[in-house]
Amino acid sequence: MSIFVSQKPLDTWLSEYATSHQNPTNKAIHWLCVPIIFLCIVALLYAIHPWLCFGVAAGVLWFYLRLSLGLFVLMTAFVALCLSAAHYLPMAIWFWLAVFVVAWIGQFIGHKIEGAKPSFFEDLQFLLIGPAWVACDIWRKISR
């Protein structure tokens, strides 16, 4: 096993994630909620301490780099946007926590509509695949 390559290829991760995200309403909810949850986590970590946020971001980006250079570039841009928002929109920690909770409620409503459990119940790494799934889907739509 190499620390430079994921045990599963990106396409496998994305197709496994997609199996519990087929319903158009659930997909739309995830398109909205997954990036918001990611932003909230970045903002919360940044509020605790910027260096904590940078360290966690480096680990997350390492995960994406192991999957794909293209995904790493996409997610680095998204992380940079989230960091900018956390820096320039210094909302109270309670704001980010409230938005985080509301977005998770939305996700669970989506899965209730879908009739499928969230993927991360099987493997916690799916918590990082969700943002990759949204980013790859957006990339596919704009690069046509």
Side-chain angles (χ1 to χ4, degrees), residues 15-79:
S15 65
E16 287 178 10
Y17 187 86
T19 59
S20 61
H21 301 87
Q22 298 295 311
N23 180 283
T25 302
N26 187 32
K27 285 174 82 169
I29 289 170
H30 276 68
W31 255 62
L32 177 66
C33 292
V34 167
I36 289 172
I37 290 168
F38 196 98
L39 167 61
C40 288
I41 292 169
V42 170
L44 287 165
L45 291 171
Y46 192 85
I48 294 167
H49 197 283
W51 286 110
L52 173 65
C53 184
F54 298 146
V56 171
V60 168
L61 291 172
W62 175 254
F63 175 83
Y64 293 133
L65 179 60
R66 291 177 62 226
L67 289 172
S68 156
L69 180 59
L71 177 63
F72 169 78
V73 170
L74 280 173
M75 295 309 294
T76 299
F78 185 59
V79 167

Side-chain angles (χ1 to χ4, degrees), residues 26 106-118:
N26 187 32
Q107 297 246 91
F108 283 108
I109 289 169
H111 279 286
K112 180 73 173 166
I113 292 167
E114 179 86 37
K117 291 186 294 188

